[in-house]
Amino acid sequence: MDIEYFNKFSSHTEENNTNNNVWTYTRVSSKLQYDKNGSVDTQKNSAKICADENEYTITEVFGGTYESAKGDFTRKEFKKLIDRVKKSKNRPFAIMIFKMSRFSRTGASAIGLVNYLIKDLGVHLIEVSTGKDTTTDRGEFEILESLLYA
């Protein structure tokens, strides 16, 4: 017997992801960080390496500026990213962020937003620095937990 025999008794179906397009989002908190420490370049380069290693194609880049993460929709580039995801007919498989603290520091609000991205829009998050992503239950839990503590 092979797996096909057992599959006829299950309603579970596996999705094969053929969408390998990802978007990136980078951010630093202040102009001083932007000008002096090269963090945005580090975030971009790390995302490129991660994308190459996982055979993803970066098709959109957002951020690259200094904006405090105390409020999500007060940040122009963040708002632009979320609006584009909502309106896009060709949504990315995932959004790559160097660390979840770069994505948001709003705790429960960020968790609600991530849940909306994943469950309603089908867009995952990938934390480049750790390799964690929301494609598994464990990865999703770890991402949400890191947003809670950000």
Side-chain angles (χ1 to χ4, degrees), residues 47-150:
K48 172 85 171 92
I49 291 167
C50 181
D52 290 346
E53 289 174 352
N54 292 284
E55 298 181 1
Y56 297 134
T57 303
I58 298 173
T59 56
E60 298 260 1
V61 176
F62 296 87
T65 188
Y66 53 94
E67 297 179 311
S68 172
K70 290 180 182 174
D72 289 335
F73 292 99
T74 59
R75 292 181 278 149
K76 291 178 185 176
E77 280 294 305
F78 186 81
K79 185 173 177 353
K80 183 175 154 185
L81 165 69
I82 300 304
D83 287 346
R84 182 85 52 92
V85 169
K86 288 178 185 178
K87 294 175 183 173
S88 180
K89 290 184 177 159
N90 296 312
R91 292 186 181 114
F93 165 70
I95 299 167
M96 300 179 82
I97 303 105
F98 184 73
K99 286 186 72 95
M100 283 302 114
S101 63
R102 302 295 87 204
F103 184 73
S104 179
R105 291 184 178 268
T106 61
S109 294
I111 290 170
L113 177 59
V114 169
N115 191 50
Y116 171 71
L117 288 169
I118 299 166
K119 307 292 188 226
D120 294 348
L121 301 180
V123 177
H124 291 280
L125 293 183
I126 300 169
E127 186 175 59
V128 173
S129 64
T130 63
K132 295 175 185 174
D133 64 54
T134 60
T135 62
T136 65
D137 289 339
R138 181 180 180 104
E140 183 177 340
F141 173 79
E142 290 174 345
I143 295 273
L144 295 177
E145 183 179 38
S146 67
L147 286 168
L148 186 61
Y149 292 111

